Amino acid sequence: MAPLDAAQAAARTQVPLTRPVALDKPGVIADLEFDLPPPGPYADSTLIVGVRIEEQKAKAMLARSGMIANGGLPARIRLQNLSGTHPSDIVLTRIGDDLHERVPLGPDGLTPGVRQESVNGAMLRDVGLIKPGTIYNVLAFGFAVAPPPGRYQLSVELLEERPQLEGQQAELVIAYNGKSK
């Protein structure tokens, strides 16, 4: 599929999806409802909630990713399943400091920052969310393990000012993880 323009990408309400976000000021950067289909043949059942950045050169991508991840990006994340008779909170997990530990986010949804993560590139490409010749990197706030298909609501609130990230283009990304080979 041909890449979507910014307006078309922002109009998507089914995973995978992206939304432009600013990372430099505290406050709610995303509050949206979306539909979650089953993962598909090339995706794992883990749903990633994170930030996607793009660059044309690998060196620039590494520098930008490092600046965002190493500087910390504390946030409050809330994911709710709206499909039942009452909304239900979905527990998100993050990667711990030792990179092997999985740490569930508490009821307050606080996460200290983002970690490198991969998402299913084929699904993103199939719906037009990948531009040819562009390098992407995903930094995850957290992930949900095997959430059931349905209607969801996500809120992402940044908790601290990050003036060094002013003008740095980024997107919220909600997508399934890629299957391991």
Side-chain angles (χ1 to χ4, degrees), residues 8-56:
Q8 292 168 321
R12 281 190 59 80
T13 59
Q14 180 173 309
V15 168
L17 60 84
T18 59
R19 295 288 186 276
V21 293
L23 302 177
D24 59 326
K25 297 200 181 332
V28 175
I29 61 168
D31 190 1
L32 67 142
E33 288 187 16
F34 62 90
D35 293 309
L36 181 65
Y42 303 107
D44 185 287
S45 61
T46 302
L47 184 68
I48 306 297
V49 175
V51 174
R52 182 173 84 159
I53 54 176
E54 63 181 69
E55 287 288 348
Q56 300 301 314

Short mmCIF file of all heavy atoms in Angstrom, two decimals, residues 8-56:
data_model
loop_
_atom_site.label_atom_id
_atom_site.label_comp_id
_atom_site.label_asym_id
_atom_site.label_seq_id
_atom_site.Cartn_x
_atom_site.Cartn_y
_atom_site.Cartn_z
N GLN A 8 -4.36 11.23 6.71
CA GLN A 8 -4.87 9.87 6.59
C GLN A 8 -4.39 9.00 7.76
O GLN A 8 -5.16 8.22 8.32
CB GLN A 8 -4.43 9.23 5.27
CG GLN A 8 -5.07 9.85 4.04
CD GLN A 8 -4.38 9.37 2.77
OE1 GLN A 8 -3.16 9.22 2.71
NE2 GLN A 8 -5.18 9.14 1.73
N ALA A 9 -3.12 9.14 8.12
CA ALA A 9 -2.57 8.36 9.23
C ALA A 9 -3.27 8.73 10.54
O ALA A 9 -3.61 7.86 11.34
CB ALA A 9 -1.06 8.58 9.35
N ALA A 10 -3.52 10.03 10.75
CA ALA A 10 -4.18 10.48 11.98
C ALA A 10 -5.64 10.06 12.05
O ALA A 10 -6.22 10.01 13.13
CB ALA A 10 -4.06 12.00 12.11
N ALA A 11 -6.23 9.72 10.90
CA ALA A 11 -7.63 9.31 10.87
C ALA A 11 -7.81 7.82 11.18
O ALA A 11 -8.93 7.38 11.44
CB ALA A 11 -8.25 9.63 9.50
N ARG A 12 -6.72 7.05 11.16
CA ARG A 12 -6.84 5.61 11.45
C ARG A 12 -7.31 5.39 12.88
O ARG A 12 -6.80 6.01 13.81
CB ARG A 12 -5.50 4.90 11.26
CG ARG A 12 -5.15 4.60 9.82
CD ARG A 12 -3.94 3.68 9.73
NE ARG A 12 -4.13 2.41 10.40
CZ ARG A 12 -4.80 1.37 9.91
NH1 ARG A 12 -5.34 1.44 8.74
NH2 ARG A 12 -4.92 0.24 10.61
N THR A 13 -8.24 4.48 13.05
CA THR A 13 -8.73 4.16 14.39
C THR A 13 -8.59 2.67 14.68
O THR A 13 -9.17 2.17 15.63
CB THR A 13 -10.21 4.58 14.56
OG1 THR A 13 -10.99 3.89 13.57
CG2 THR A 13 -10.37 6.08 14.44
N GLN A 14 -7.82 1.99 13.86
CA GLN A 14 -7.58 0.55 14.07
C GLN A 14 -6.08 0.31 14.13
O GLN A 14 -5.31 0.87 13.36
CB GLN A 14 -8.19 -0.25 12.91
CG GLN A 14 -7.97 -1.75 13.07
CD GLN A 14 -8.73 -2.54 12.01
OE1 GLN A 14 -9.92 -2.34 11.84
NE2 GLN A 14 -8.04 -3.44 11.33
N VAL A 15 -5.67 -0.55 15.08
CA VAL A 15 -4.26 -0.91 15.24
C VAL A 15 -3.81 -1.69 14.01
O VAL A 15 -4.55 -2.54 13.53
CB VAL A 15 -4.10 -1.75 16.53
CG1 VAL A 15 -2.73 -2.41 16.61
CG2 VAL A 15 -4.35 -0.87 17.75
N PRO A 16 -2.61 -1.38 13.47
CA PRO A 16 -1.62 -0.44 13.98
C PRO A 16 -2.01 1.00 13.63
O PRO A 16 -2.61 1.25 12.60
CB PRO A 16 -0.34 -0.84 13.26
CG PRO A 16 -0.80 -1.42 11.96
CD PRO A 16 -2.13 -2.08 12.27
N LEU A 17 -1.61 1.92 14.52
CA LEU A 17 -1.89 3.32 14.25
C LEU A 17 -0.80 4.20 14.85
O LEU A 17 -0.05 3.77 15.73
CB LEU A 17 -3.27 3.72 14.76
CG LEU A 17 -3.61 3.59 16.24
CD1 LEU A 17 -3.13 4.78 17.05
CD2 LEU A 17 -5.11 3.45 16.40
N THR A 18 -0.72 5.41 14.33
CA THR A 18 0.24 6.41 14.82
C THR A 18 -0.48 7.74 14.98
O THR A 18 -1.51 7.98 14.34
CB THR A 18 1.42 6.60 13.83
OG1 THR A 18 0.90 7.02 12.57
CG2 THR A 18 2.22 5.31 13.66
N ARG A 19 0.07 8.59 15.82
CA ARG A 19 -0.41 9.96 16.00
C ARG A 19 0.81 10.84 16.26
O ARG A 19 1.65 10.49 17.08
CB ARG A 19 -1.34 10.09 17.21
CG ARG A 19 -2.66 9.36 17.11
CD ARG A 19 -3.59 10.04 16.11
NE ARG A 19 -4.90 9.43 16.10
CZ ARG A 19 -5.24 8.36 15.40
NH1 ARG A 19 -4.35 7.73 14.67
NH2 ARG A 19 -6.47 7.88 15.44
N PRO A 20 0.89 12.01 15.62
CA PRO A 20 2.00 12.92 15.94
C PRO A 20 1.90 13.40 17.39
O PRO A 20 0.79 13.68 17.86
CB PRO A 20 1.82 14.09 14.97
CG PRO A 20 0.62 13.81 14.15
CD PRO A 20 -0.01 12.54 14.63
N VAL A 21 3.03 13.45 18.08
CA VAL A 21 3.07 13.92 19.47
C VAL A 21 4.30 14.79 19.69
O VAL A 21 5.31 14.64 19.01
CB VAL A 21 3.07 12.74 20.49
CG1 VAL A 21 1.76 11.98 20.44
CG2 VAL A 21 4.24 11.81 20.26
N ALA A 22 4.19 15.68 20.67
CA ALA A 22 5.34 16.49 21.11
C ALA A 22 5.82 15.90 22.43
O ALA A 22 5.01 15.56 23.30
CB ALA A 22 4.91 17.94 21.29
N LEU A 23 7.13 15.78 22.58
CA LEU A 23 7.70 15.14 23.77
C LEU A 23 8.36 16.12 24.72
O LEU A 23 8.94 15.71 25.71
CB LEU A 23 8.73 14.08 23.33
CG LEU A 23 8.22 12.98 22.41
CD1 LEU A 23 9.37 12.06 22.02
CD2 LEU A 23 7.09 12.21 23.07
N ASP A 24 8.29 17.42 24.45
CA ASP A 24 9.05 18.39 25.23
C ASP A 24 8.33 18.96 26.44
O ASP A 24 8.96 19.45 27.36
CB ASP A 24 9.54 19.53 24.34
CG ASP A 24 8.41 20.28 23.65
OD1 ASP A 24 7.39 19.65 23.30
OD2 ASP A 24 8.54 21.51 23.46
N LYS A 25 7.01 18.89 26.49
CA LYS A 25 6.28 19.50 27.59
C LYS A 25 5.43 18.46 28.33
O LYS A 25 4.93 17.53 27.73
CB LYS A 25 5.36 20.59 27.07
CG LYS A 25 6.12 21.72 26.40
CD LYS A 25 5.30 22.97 26.32
CE LYS A 25 5.97 24.13 25.65
NZ LYS A 25 7.34 24.26 25.66
N PRO A 26 5.24 18.65 29.65
CA PRO A 26 4.38 17.72 30.39
C PRO A 26 2.92 17.92 29.97
O PRO A 26 2.54 18.99 29.51
CB PRO A 26 4.60 18.10 31.85
CG PRO A 26 5.15 19.48 31.83
CD PRO A 26 5.83 19.67 30.51
N GLY A 27 2.14 16.86 30.15
CA GLY A 27 0.72 16.93 29.84
C GLY A 27 0.30 15.74 29.00
O GLY A 27 1.12 14.90 28.61
N VAL A 28 -0.99 15.67 28.72
CA VAL A 28 -1.55 14.58 27.95
C VAL A 28 -1.15 14.74 26.48
O VAL A 28 -1.44 15.77 25.86
CB VAL A 28 -3.09 14.53 28.09
CG1 VAL A 28 -3.69 13.46 27.18
CG2 VAL A 28 -3.47 14.26 29.54
N ILE A 29 -0.45 13.75 25.94
CA ILE A 29 -0.05 13.80 24.53
C ILE A 29 -0.95 12.92 23.67
O ILE A 29 -0.92 13.01 22.45
CB ILE A 29 1.44 13.41 24.31
CG1 ILE A 29 1.70 11.98 24.78
CG2 ILE A 29 2.36 14.42 24.99
CD1 ILE A 29 3.05 11.43 24.33
N ALA A 30 -1.74 12.06 24.31
CA ALA A 30 -2.66 11.21 23.56
C ALA A 30 -3.83 10.82 24.45
O ALA A 30 -3.64 10.50 25.62
CB ALA A 30 -1.95 9.95 23.07
N ASP A 31 -5.01 10.88 23.88
CA ASP A 31 -6.23 10.41 24.53
C ASP A 31 -7.15 10.01 23.39
O ASP A 31 -7.75 10.86 22.74
CB ASP A 31 -6.85 11.53 25.37
CG ASP A 31 -7.99 11.01 26.25
OD1 ASP A 31 -8.27 9.79 26.21
OD2 ASP A 31 -8.59 11.83 26.97
N LEU A 32 -7.20 8.71 23.11
CA LEU A 32 -7.93 8.26 21.94
C LEU A 32 -8.56 6.90 22.14
O LEU A 32 -8.14 6.13 23.00
CB LEU A 32 -7.01 8.21 20.72
CG LEU A 32 -5.89 7.18 20.72
CD1 LEU A 32 -5.72 6.62 19.32
CD2 LEU A 32 -4.59 7.81 21.18
N GLU A 33 -9.59 6.64 21.34
CA GLU A 33 -10.22 5.33 21.29
C GLU A 33 -9.80 4.67 19.99
O GLU A 33 -9.59 5.35 18.97
CB GLU A 33 -11.74 5.45 21.36
CG GLU A 33 -12.24 5.85 22.72
CD GLU A 33 -13.75 5.80 22.83
OE1 GLU A 33 -14.42 5.17 21.98
OE2 GLU A 33 -14.27 6.40 23.79
N PHE A 34 -9.67 3.34 20.03
CA PHE A 34 -9.27 2.61 18.83
C PHE A 34 -9.80 1.19 18.88
O PHE A 34 -10.19 0.70 19.93
CB PHE A 34 -7.74 2.61 18.67
CG PHE A 34 -7.00 1.95 19.80
CD1 PHE A 34 -6.71 0.58 19.76
CD2 PHE A 34 -6.59 2.67 20.90
CE1 PHE A 34 -6.02 -0.03 20.80
CE2 PHE A 34 -5.90 2.07 21.95
CZ PHE A 34 -5.62 0.71 21.89
N ASP A 35 -9.80 0.57 17.70
CA ASP A 35 -10.20 -0.83 17.59
C ASP A 35 -8.96 -1.70 17.49
O ASP A 35 -8.02 -1.36 16.76
CB ASP A 35 -11.07 -1.04 16.35
CG ASP A 35 -12.41 -0.33 16.48
OD1 ASP A 35 -13.08 -0.54 17.51
OD2 ASP A 35 -12.78 0.44 15.58
N LEU A 36 -8.98 -2.81 18.22
CA LEU A 36 -7.87 -3.75 18.21
C LEU A 36 -8.32 -5.04 17.54
O LEU A 36 -9.12 -5.78 18.11
CB LEU A 36 -7.40 -4.03 19.64
CG LEU A 36 -6.22 -4.99 19.78
CD1 LEU A 36 -4.96 -4.38 19.17
CD2 LEU A 36 -5.99 -5.33 21.25
N PRO A 37 -7.82 -5.31 16.32
CA PRO A 37 -8.14 -6.57 15.67
C PRO A 37 -7.24 -7.68 16.22
O PRO A 37 -6.29 -7.39 16.96
CB PRO A 37 -7.81 -6.29 14.20
CG PRO A 37 -6.67 -5.31 14.27
CD PRO A 37 -6.96 -4.46 15.49
N PRO A 38 -7.47 -8.95 15.86
CA PRO A 38 -6.52 -10.00 16.23
C PRO A 38 -5.15 -9.69 15.61
O PRO A 38 -5.07 -8.96 14.63
CB PRO A 38 -7.13 -11.27 15.62
CG PRO A 38 -8.56 -10.94 15.37
CD PRO A 38 -8.62 -9.45 15.13
N PRO A 39 -4.06 -10.27 16.14
CA PRO A 39 -2.72 -9.90 15.70
C PRO A 39 -2.36 -10.18 14.24
O PRO A 39 -1.54 -9.49 13.68
CB PRO A 39 -1.78 -10.68 16.61
CG PRO A 39 -2.62 -11.44 17.56
CD PRO A 39 -4.04 -11.17 17.27
N GLY A 40 -2.89 -11.17 13.62
CA GLY A 40 -2.51 -11.47 12.24
C GLY A 40 -1.37 -12.47 12.19
O GLY A 40 -0.73 -12.77 13.20
N PRO A 41 -1.06 -12.98 10.98
CA PRO A 41 -0.13 -14.11 10.85
C PRO A 41 1.33 -13.80 11.20
O PRO A 41 2.05 -14.68 11.61
CB PRO A 41 -0.26 -14.51 9.38
CG PRO A 41 -0.80 -13.31 8.69
CD PRO A 41 -1.64 -12.58 9.71
N TYR A 42 1.78 -12.58 11.05
CA TYR A 42 3.20 -12.27 11.27
C TYR A 42 3.43 -11.47 12.55
O TYR A 42 4.50 -10.95 12.77
CB TYR A 42 3.78 -11.51 10.07
CG TYR A 42 3.62 -12.29 8.80
CD1 TYR A 42 2.69 -11.92 7.84
CD2 TYR A 42 4.37 -13.44 8.58
CE1 TYR A 42 2.53 -12.65 6.68
CE2 TYR A 42 4.22 -14.18 7.43
CZ TYR A 42 3.30 -13.79 6.48
OH TYR A 42 3.13 -14.53 5.35
N ALA A 43 2.41 -11.39 13.38
CA ALA A 43 2.52 -10.59 14.60
C ALA A 43 2.41 -11.47 15.83
O ALA A 43 1.72 -12.48 15.84
CB ALA A 43 1.42 -9.52 14.63
N ASP A 44 3.10 -11.05 16.87
CA ASP A 44 2.98 -11.65 18.19
C ASP A 44 1.72 -11.05 18.82
O ASP A 44 1.23 -10.02 18.38
CB ASP A 44 4.24 -11.25 18.98
CG ASP A 44 4.31 -11.89 20.33
OD1 ASP A 44 3.54 -11.46 21.21
OD2 ASP A 44 5.13 -12.79 20.52
N SER A 45 1.22 -11.63 19.88
CA SER A 45 0.01 -11.11 20.53
C SER A 45 0.30 -10.00 21.53
O SER A 45 -0.60 -9.53 22.22
CB SER A 45 -0.74 -12.25 21.22
OG SER A 45 0.07 -12.82 22.22
N THR A 46 1.54 -9.54 21.61
CA THR A 46 1.92 -8.46 22.52
C THR A 46 1.67 -7.11 21.85
O THR A 46 2.16 -6.85 20.75
CB THR A 46 3.41 -8.58 22.90
OG1 THR A 46 3.62 -9.86 23.51
CG2 THR A 46 3.81 -7.49 23.87
N LEU A 47 0.90 -6.26 22.51
CA LEU A 47 0.57 -4.94 21.99
C LEU A 47 1.52 -3.91 22.59
O LEU A 47 1.60 -3.76 23.81
CB LEU A 47 -0.88 -4.58 22.33
CG LEU A 47 -1.38 -3.25 21.76
CD1 LEU A 47 -1.50 -3.34 20.24
CD2 LEU A 47 -2.72 -2.88 22.39
N ILE A 48 2.23 -3.19 21.73
CA ILE A 48 3.21 -2.19 22.15
C ILE A 48 2.57 -0.80 22.14
O ILE A 48 1.89 -0.43 21.18
CB ILE A 48 4.42 -2.18 21.18
CG1 ILE A 48 5.04 -3.57 21.03
CG2 ILE A 48 5.45 -1.13 21.60
CD1 ILE A 48 5.61 -4.16 22.28
N VAL A 49 2.82 -0.03 23.20
CA VAL A 49 2.43 1.38 23.27
C VAL A 49 3.72 2.16 23.42
O VAL A 49 4.45 1.98 24.39
CB VAL A 49 1.49 1.66 24.47
CG1 VAL A 49 1.20 3.16 24.57
CG2 VAL A 49 0.21 0.86 24.36
N GLY A 50 4.03 2.98 22.42
CA GLY A 50 5.31 3.68 22.49
C GLY A 50 5.38 4.90 21.62
O GLY A 50 4.35 5.44 21.18
N VAL A 51 6.60 5.31 21.37
CA VAL A 51 6.91 6.46 20.54
C VAL A 51 7.73 5.96 19.36
O VAL A 51 8.66 5.17 19.54
CB VAL A 51 7.73 7.50 21.35
CG1 VAL A 51 8.19 8.64 20.47
CG2 VAL A 51 6.93 8.02 22.53
N ARG A 52 7.36 6.41 18.17
CA ARG A 52 8.12 6.05 16.97
C ARG A 52 8.78 7.30 16.42
O ARG A 52 8.15 8.35 16.31
CB ARG A 52 7.19 5.44 15.92
CG ARG A 52 7.92 5.01 14.67
CD ARG A 52 7.02 4.27 13.72
NE ARG A 52 6.27 5.19 12.87
CZ ARG A 52 5.72 4.85 11.70
NH1 ARG A 52 5.81 3.61 11.25
NH2 ARG A 52 5.05 5.73 11.00
N ILE A 53 10.07 7.17 16.14
CA ILE A 53 10.79 8.29 15.52
C ILE A 53 11.31 7.82 14.17
O ILE A 53 11.47 6.63 13.94
CB ILE A 53 11.92 8.82 16.43
CG1 ILE A 53 12.86 7.70 16.84
CG2 ILE A 53 11.34 9.50 17.66
CD1 ILE A 53 14.05 8.16 17.65
N GLU A 54 11.54 8.77 13.29
CA GLU A 54 12.03 8.43 11.96
C GLU A 54 13.20 9.33 11.59
O GLU A 54 13.28 10.48 12.04
CB GLU A 54 10.93 8.54 10.91
CG GLU A 54 10.34 9.93 10.73
CD GLU A 54 9.24 9.96 9.70
OE1 GLU A 54 8.16 9.41 9.96
OE2 GLU A 54 9.47 10.57 8.63
N GLU A 55 14.10 8.78 10.82
CA GLU A 55 15.27 9.49 10.32
C GLU A 55 15.63 8.93 8.96
O GLU A 55 15.16 7.86 8.58
CB GLU A 55 16.47 9.31 11.27
CG GLU A 55 16.39 10.06 12.57
CD GLU A 55 16.57 11.57 12.45
OE1 GLU A 55 16.98 12.05 11.36
OE2 GLU A 55 16.28 12.27 13.42
N GLN A 56 16.48 9.62 8.27
CA GLN A 56 16.96 9.15 6.97
C GLN A 56 18.28 8.39 7.10
O GLN A 56 18.61 7.58 6.26
CB GLN A 56 17.15 10.33 6.01
CG GLN A 56 15.86 11.10 5.75
CD GLN A 56 14.75 10.24 5.16
OE1 GLN A 56 14.97 9.47 4.25
NE2 GLN A 56 13.55 10.36 5.72
#
